[in-house]
Amino acid sequence: MDFSFTDEQQQLRRTIREFAEVEIKPHIMEWDEASHFPQELIPQLAKLGLLGVIFPEDYGGAGLGYVEYVIAIEELSRVDGSVGIIVAAHNSLCSNHIYKFGSDEQKKKYVVPLAQGKKLGCWSLTEPEAGSDAGGTRTTATRSGDGWLLNGAKTFTTNGHYADVCVAMAVTNREKGSHGISAFVLEKGMPGFKPGKKENKLGLRASDTSEVIFSDCRVSGSQLLGDEGQGFINSLQVLDGGRISIAALGLGMAQGAFEAATQYAKQRKQFGKAISEFQATQFKLADMATEIDAARLLTYRAAWLADRGDSRLTRESSMAKLYTSEVAVRVANEALQIFGGYGFIKDYPAEKFYRDVKLCTIGEGTSEIQRLVIARQLLGKK
Ligand SMILES: Cc1cc2nc3c(=O)[nH]c(=O)nc-3n(C[C@H](O)[C@H](O)[C@H](O)COP(=O)(O)OP(=O)(O)OC[C@H]3O[C@@H](n4cnc5c(N)ncnc54)[C@H](O)[C@@H]3O)c2cc1C
């Protein structure tokens, strides 16, 4: 067993850490308070290859694997989870769905500019009435000539307002249930396709979470992505990889909150000594560090399995996502506690981590749904 990162992976981590510290950190509170989507950052993320981490160079990507992808999301999220989720939704949901299930033509047309960062992607599965039960999708795509007519609305789409390319799931045959849902690729500007309400959120406020609306949106047959009726099934496979990125998002934020609390505990004096001298603080830090380490091991193991194309990925990625997101919530809570009253104040970093981490127990399947997925795998149920 080898738990060490290669020299290249360590260099990648240093590069992204420096980038995040210099280019992102000075702006995070301003972006958070204004709910400002950092579009100005997209060309820089593209230049670093972060918008095509897991795609081969032939498709405009960086030609790296999931381990490197986790390093990237972890380091971005250590500074700002909003940037982490923008990159995650673009890579492992939108672009990866097209890369895994698209035709050669679709891959050339969409994956190349997405991976190069010339275009931004989003992925729309969730609907107002179909969240955890995404098989209950109501958006429809009905045959019209040699194409399709889409009608309906998606909710909570990350990057929804800013994306140039959207992968969306719609019912093509209601009688077939989850085997009657298909995926489509939509492009910004297609008549009848537009973003709707932009959500005003508790956390990750610099990321965009929006409605996506289809009203008599007519697309040609070439916009069907993957086989007809396989969109939902393919989505579940896409989510296996996506959940690793949410684990990485939680891991990075937990690490950021932990580092901030440790630094603060060494400086803050009460009763004539640094609060880090109190065993109560030390025990908190020890528990936080141990849980983060365990979360990191689960997350990188899932990434390693993904790079090997291992069939255990569904269970292991759900475990990584479940555990890491719950650790992140606990760590952010304890970090805020260590900051005391200052943890409640926006001049200090703890409150933002506390708000931002909560998404991790909800997005790409809630903690309850992860437990269902894991239990199904354990019990051999479909
Ligand atoms: C910031 C943000 C970004 C997002 N980005 C995207 C995106 O890019 N694309 C996308 O498609 N979606 C996205 N989502 C949607 C997200 O995946 C859903 O919110 C999530 O799957 C939960 O669905 P829901 O919100 O409808 O909650 P519900 O499904 O209504 O769940 C409510 C509660 O009931 C529980 N529950 C539901 N069913 C069961 C069950 N069978 N057993 C036990 N408990 C259950 C849930 O765990 C939860 O606690 C995003 C959400 C947010 C908040």
Side-chain angles (χ1 to χ4, degrees):
M1 263 196 185
D2 183 358
F3 289 98
S4 56
F5 290 105
T6 63
D7 289 346
E8 290 78 14
Q9 287 164 345
Q10 290 178 46
Q11 180 56 41
L12 178 72
R13 188 183 292 282
R14 281 193 292 273
T15 304
I16 301 173
R17 183 168 292 203
E18 191 185 325
F19 168 76
E21 291 283 345
V22 174
E23 304 293 340
I24 301 175
K25 200 170 193 170
H27 308 289
I28 57 176
M29 281 317 286
E30 178 196 325
W31 292 346
D32 178 78
E33 299 214 334
S35 283
H36 169 75
F37 181 87
Q39 211 152 12
E40 60 273 35
L41 206 62
I42 302 294
Q44 289 170 275
L45 293 168
K47 206 168 155 202
L48 285 169
L50 299 182
L51 297 176
V53 186
I54 49 177
F55 306 106
E57 290 173 30
D58 287 353
Y59 285 100
L64 299 170
Y66 269 83
V67 170
E68 289 80 8
Y69 181 46
V70 168
I71 291 172
I73 302 293
E74 184 189 349
E75 288 302 324
L76 293 172
S77 310
R78 177 181 160 273
V79 170
D80 188 14
S82 285
V83 178
I85 198 173
I86 292 167
V87 172
H90 169 90
N91 268 282
S92 47
L93 295 181
C94 176
S95 310
N96 201 35
H97 197 136
I98 306 172
Y99 178 68
K100 270 175 109 71
F101 301 108
S103 63
D104 282 347
E105 203 180 314
Q106 286 170 329
K107 286 197 244 189
K108 279 191 197 111
K109 184 170 177 192
Y110 296 111
V111 177
V112 172
L114 285 165
Q116 289 172 336
K118 290 181 180 159
K119 291 194 168 167
L120 188 68
C122 70
W123 189 81
S124 295
L125 175 65
T126 307
E127 297 186 358
E129 304 301 328
S132 299
D133 181 16
T137 294
R138 295 187 178 183
T139 295
T140 55
T142 45
R143 280 196 183 276
S144 163
D146 56 3
W148 300 89
L149 193 64
L150 273 72
N151 275 295
K154 298 286 176 180
T155 192
F156 298 155
T157 294
T158 300
N159 298 341
H161 246 88
Y162 298 89
D164 306 287
V165 177
C166 173
V167 172
M169 272 36 81
V171 176
T172 44
N173 186 338
R174 175 110 24 227
E175 277 149 37
K176 290 193 173 166
S178 57
H179 289 267
I181 297 172
S182 305
F184 293 85
V185 198
L186 289 308
E187 288 174 49
K188 195 179 205 165
M190 282 179 162
F193 166 59
K194 59 168 195 219
K197 183 182 164 223
K198 204 176 156 160
E199 302 296 348
N200 183 8
K201 306 197 294 290
L202 168 76
L204 300 180
R205 290 173 54 80
S207 73
D208 170 52
T209 312
S210 292
E211 278 181 337
V212 169
I213 296 167
F214 309 97
S215 39
D216 287 335
C217 172
R218 198 176 296 280
V219 298
S220 72
S222 63
Q223 301 311 112
L224 177 71
L225 177 61
D227 293 337
E228 187 182 336
Q230 288 299 301
F232 179 71
I233 311 302
N234 293 346
S235 292
L236 298 183
Q237 289 167 268
V238 168
L239 285 169
D240 282 346
R243 283 169 184 160
I244 301 175
S245 72
I246 301 297
L249 178 71
L251 180 60
M253 290 192 276
Q255 181 66 32
F258 169 75
E259 286 176 26
T262 307
Q263 199 185 12
Y264 184 80
K266 287 193 213 162
Q267 287 163 3
R268 174 70 175 170
K269 287 204 170 70
Q270 288 294 281
F271 300 97
K273 45 177 143 170
I275 60 167
S276 62
E277 297 293 313
F278 301 127
Q279 201 177 51
T281 310
Q282 292 172 1
F283 278 14
K284 281 195 203 312
L285 292 173
D287 285 345
M288 289 155 83
T290 306
E291 288 201 300
I292 291 171
D293 229 21
R296 181 169 284 115
L297 289 170
L298 277 180
T299 304
Y300 281 96
R301 182 183 64 174
W304 178 77
L305 288 171
D307 284 338
R308 290 159 58 105
D310 198 294
S311 60
R312 285 171 298 167
L313 188 60
T314 300
R315 191 184 76 168
E316 319 295 51
S317 68
S318 269
M319 284 178 168
K321 197 269 187 194
L322 168 64
Y323 186 73
T324 306
S325 58
E326 300 211 335
V327 163
V329 168
R330 282 200 292 277
V331 166
N333 183 40
E334 290 293 48
L336 195 151
Q337 191 70 15
I338 289 172
F339 272 83
Y342 298 95
F344 214 66
I345 305 297
K346 285 185 182 279
D347 294 344
Y348 292 82
E351 65 82 33
K352 181 171 177 297
F353 283 119
Y354 183 80
R355 290 185 286 110
D356 287 350
V357 287
K358 190 56 198 162
L359 178 272
C360 298
T361 66
I362 296 168
E364 298 198 29
T366 61
S367 287
E368 292 76 13
I369 295 304
Q370 301 313 316
R371 289 186 171 93
L372 288 180
V373 170
I374 295 163
R376 262 187 224 128
Q377 295 291 318
L378 295 175
L379 300 170
K381 290 186 181 170
K382 280 267 168 188

